Every structure is written in C-alpha cells, then in structure tokens.
Amino acid sequence: MTIHRIAIPWDGKKAGYTRPICKKAINSQLGWKALEVDIQKARRKEGDAKHAVTHHFAMAELKKLANLHMVHKKKAHEPHRILKELLNPSKKELPYSYALKQFVKESLYAFDDLSGLLLPGGDHICPYLYGAEFGKETAKHIQDMTAHRTILELHLIDWFVSKRLPVLGICRGAQMVNIYFGGSLKQRVVEQFHWTGPSEVTVKGGKNTFASKAFGPKGSSAKTHSLHMQAIDPEDIGGILKATVKKGPIVKMIEGRLGDDKLPIIGTQFHPELWYKADMYGDANPIYQGKEIAFNKDLLDEGNDNILLMFLDLAKKYNKKRNDKLAKGADLGQGDALEAPK
C-alpha cells in the first residue's frame, strides 16, 4: 500500500490550533502522513544557532525590499516586484530569504511520496508582499506576523507548483495562495475573529468547480467555521484564481487550475479541518490565543469534509501522474525532478 504525505509548514514555537488538527486529521482520520516543515530548523549557516532564520531577520529583509520597490505600483491580479524578488533571492542581498528557499529543497527532496501541500491558518501577513503599506490595525500585529514563516510558505508553494502537486490553503493559507499568484488582501474586514458558531456562505462557482462539488450547485448555502480579520481582496484575486464561495462581499473560497495539466490550487477562508474536531478532541475544544474555539459539528455542513477528501484524492492522482511521467523518462521541465539541493 502506497503511503502518501502532505507537507504542512509550521513555526515550532508558535501556538495555534489549525495545524495540529490538520496534522491529526491527516494522520489518524484520513490515513495519510503529515510531514511537518518546521521553520525552527532553518539556519542561514548549518548548525549555527546565531544565524537562525527568525521573524526579526525576515522582516528586516521585507523592509529592505519595500524601501527599494514600494514605489512601483502593483498591477491588479499580478505579483508585485517585491514578491518576484523574494521568490528568487540573492544569497548576498537577501541571505535569510535565500536560506529559507534552500531549506525547502533540503527538507523535501528525499520524499518521493509527497503528494501535496496544506497551508494552515495563522497570524496576519505582511502587506509589503502585495505592495501595500501597513494599515492602522495591521501595524498592531507586526510582531505576530511570523515573517519567516511567510517567506517559507511562499517558497513551499513555489516548490509544489514546480513539481505539479496540488496546494490547499486554509484561512491564512488561502491568503498566502492568493498573494503568491498575484492577488492582494483587505487588511481589515467587517467579519472578524469568529470565535464560535458557523458562518453561512454561498456557492458562486459553476458545476465543475471544487466549491460546487463540495457544497452543491451555484447558489447553494453552506455552513462553515471562520476565524479571520484580513481577507482576500475581491477586486484583486491572483491571476489564475477565481472566487467560488462568498459571504456577501467577502471571498470565502478561491480556486484555479494551473497549466496544461490543470494543477488544482484551492484556498478556503474557513476551516474545513474543524469537521474532525469532535472525533479527535471529544467534548474538549482546541485553544487559540488563550480562547476556546467552541462549536457544534452538527452546525457544519458535510461539504467541509468533502473539501479535505477531495484535496487528498487530487493529491494522490497528481502524485501518480507525475511519477508515471518520471518513470517513462519524461522531461517535465526545469526544476521538476526531485533533485537533491545544490
């Protein structure tokens, strides 16, 4: 029996609730393996604790890029120059960003059973990535932004896209997916920090979208669980992506197909993994930032489960498709082989 792995990034020192639920759901409820990419192990120089890649150093490099390139206006639906440079960092000019890119290669190259990337929820994202200044509310959270995790996740998305393996972003992860493909965020929305209860959303995608396959045809209502203050900018969704679930003007799900092989890219501004919460925690509730995340599974629609099952099924298919091509000696293009890092 083939074991499939899903990579999940995390900051080993940062408390959260979505990553452990995602990990546990993948390992115990869904029968797969979760591979944690722990940023605490990233170093600018191997074995040198003084050169750990921290939020402080990563944010300094983001500020450096902002000082150089913020004058360039971002085009709608296209990546800002800051993001482009961040994804191809100079070892001399951006040593910590460069180290994170190398860390991704070193962490993943040996696993030929990797089938997809799951980006869990987390803190706010630095607006420099999409060419924006800090808003008043966003500035209050600058120390909680885990800029090093943000840069790590951009390189992870880049790696999995180059390997033609699916990506699923949840909450903050969906925002990261949107930014990677050239979109922006609203730094503050009316709907914010839903600690309890479901959030009813509406399917906007057609019959062939992942949203409609999970929740029903266009116009269907679905109950999900949301917890966020920032949101995807509906006027600036990344190039290949489109909004397929909304709550009023707020984008709740994005998706797209990339390239000739129609690689699936999915992002949910809600938490489908909480469908498994009761099975794993019983009556106990996970804790986030000192607050209990309480809800009743019966108030969530089964489409939440469908999202994860659909993603794993897609990951399995694209892993097989990729390995079949490699076995036949196909040239999948530059960077597509599971090469060891240089």
Side-chain angles (χ1 to χ4, degrees), residues 58-70:
M59 183 58 77
E61 291 192 350
L62 288 177
K63 289 180 179 178
K64 180 178 181 179
L65 288 174
N67 289 336
L68 289 171
H69 302 304
M70 194 65 82

Side-chain angles (χ1 to χ4, degrees), residues 109-147:
Y109 84 93
F111 295 94
D112 58 4
D113 55 357
L114 273 172
S115 300
L117 171 66
L118 191 157
L119 301 172
D123 293 309
H124 293 349
I125 299 170
C126 177
Y128 293 154
L129 294 178
Y130 46 95
E133 298 285 357
F134 278 79
K136 182 179 179 180
E137 290 297 321
T138 309
K140 296 178 182 178
H141 299 274
I142 191 169
Q143 295 304 319
D144 300 321
M145 282 188 172
T146 54

Side-chain angles (χ1 to χ4, degrees), residues 36-187:
E36 291 183 320
V37 185
D38 184 359
I39 197 172
Q40 293 300 318
K41 297 179 181 178
R43 295 287 184 271
R44 195 179 85 172
K45 294 181 180 179
E46 185 62 34
D48 189 347
K50 293 182 180 179
H51 288 84
V53 182
T54 64
H55 163 76
H56 172 77
F57 291 120
M59 183 58 77
E61 291 192 350
L62 288 177
K63 289 180 179 178
K64 180 178 181 179
L65 288 174
N67 289 336
L68 289 171
H69 302 304
M70 194 65 82
V71 293
H72 300 284
K73 185 175 176 60
K74 179 186 179 304
K75 296 181 180 179
H77 319 299
E78 294 183 13
H80 190 270
R81 186 174 295 191
I82 290 173
L83 180 61
K84 291 180 179 179
E85 188 160 338
L86 197 62
L87 287 170
N88 296 284
S90 160
K91 185 175 182 179
K92 180 179 179 181
E93 298 297 325
L94 301 171
Y96 291 98
S97 300
Y98 179 86
L100 286 171
K101 184 171 185 176
Q102 295 304 113
F103 176 65
V104 167
K105 293 181 180 180
E106 293 163 3
S107 299
L108 303 181
Y109 84 93
F111 295 94
D112 58 4
D113 55 357
L114 273 172
S115 300
L117 171 66
L118 191 157
L119 301 172
D123 293 309
H124 293 349
I125 299 170
C126 177
Y128 293 154
L129 294 178
Y130 46 95
E133 298 285 357
F134 278 79
K136 182 179 179 180
E137 290 297 321
T138 309
K140 296 178 182 178
H141 299 274
I142 191 169
Q143 295 304 319
D144 300 321
M145 282 188 172
T146 54
H148 52 328
R149 173 186 163 182
T150 297
I151 298 172
L152 172 74
E153 290 184 352
L154 288 171
H155 288 305
L156 281 169
I157 298 172
D158 208 43
W159 193 92
F160 276 87
V161 166
S162 75
K163 304 299 181 272
R164 314 311 296 167
L165 295 171
V167 176
L168 170 63
I170 294 175
C171 196
R172 180 188 191 273
Q175 297 171 7
M176 288 296 301
V177 166
N178 186 53
I179 291 171
Y180 174 85
F181 284 102
S184 299
L185 302 182
K186 289 287 188 182
Q187 295 187 44

Side-chain angles (χ1 to χ4, degrees), residues 197-223:
S199 173
E200 190 163 307
V201 299
T202 303
V203 176
K204 298 293 184 180
K207 65 179 181 179
N208 292 323
T209 62
F210 300 124
S212 65
K213 292 175 182 178
F215 293 112
K218 186 175 182 179
S220 298
S221 294
K223 291 180 180 178

